[in-house]
Amino acid sequence: MRKALTLACVAVLVGCTTPAQRAAQVEREVDEMITVYGPACEKLGYAADSDPWRDCVMRLNARDHFDRYSRMPTTTSCIGHRGFFNCTTF
């Protein structure tokens, strides 16, 4: 019960962030992506701070996120009757 209450409080506090705070968070995430993937894209032959280089950084980040989160267990629930099913995967 204590964990649920703590998580609920954290969720409420996260929802209270201002647009400026959210923008700062996104900026930090972009800076981290550039730090992590920028050198790899330069080694692949993309000129730094060019549009293809930015695309390379975004693609490498997306690939790593997909690889990391695609291994999580999923659950599929189906509701309905013969011939009419509505299935949801979490």
Side-chain angles (χ1 to χ4, degrees):
M1 180 69 179
R2 180 171 266 191
K3 277 187 176 180
L5 182 61
T6 303
L7 289 174
C9 290
V10 169
V12 168
L13 291 176
V14 169
C16 295
T17 59
T18 64
Q21 290 170 329
R22 285 188 293 246
Q25 175 63 29
V26 169
E27 190 173 320
R28 285 190 297 270
E29 291 172 3
V30 168
D31 289 340
E32 181 181 343
M33 284 190 318
I34 290 171
T35 302
V36 172
Y37 303 112
C41 290
E42 289 176 19
K43 285 185 180 181
L44 289 172
Y46 296 104
D49 294 329
S50 65
D51 284 340
W53 178 82
R54 289 180 190 94
D55 185 53
C56 174
V57 169
M58 295 297 290
R59 286 179 187 267
L60 289 176
N61 183 52
R63 184 196 66 192
D64 282 354
H65 278 277
F66 177 77
D67 289 346
R68 183 176 305 130
Y69 295 115
S70 66
R71 294 187 196 119
M72 294 176 67
T74 58
T75 302
T76 301
S77 300
C78 295
I79 300 172
H81 54 85
R82 187 175 57 174
F84 299 100
F85 288 103
N86 182 17
C87 297
T88 306
T89 302
F90 296 100

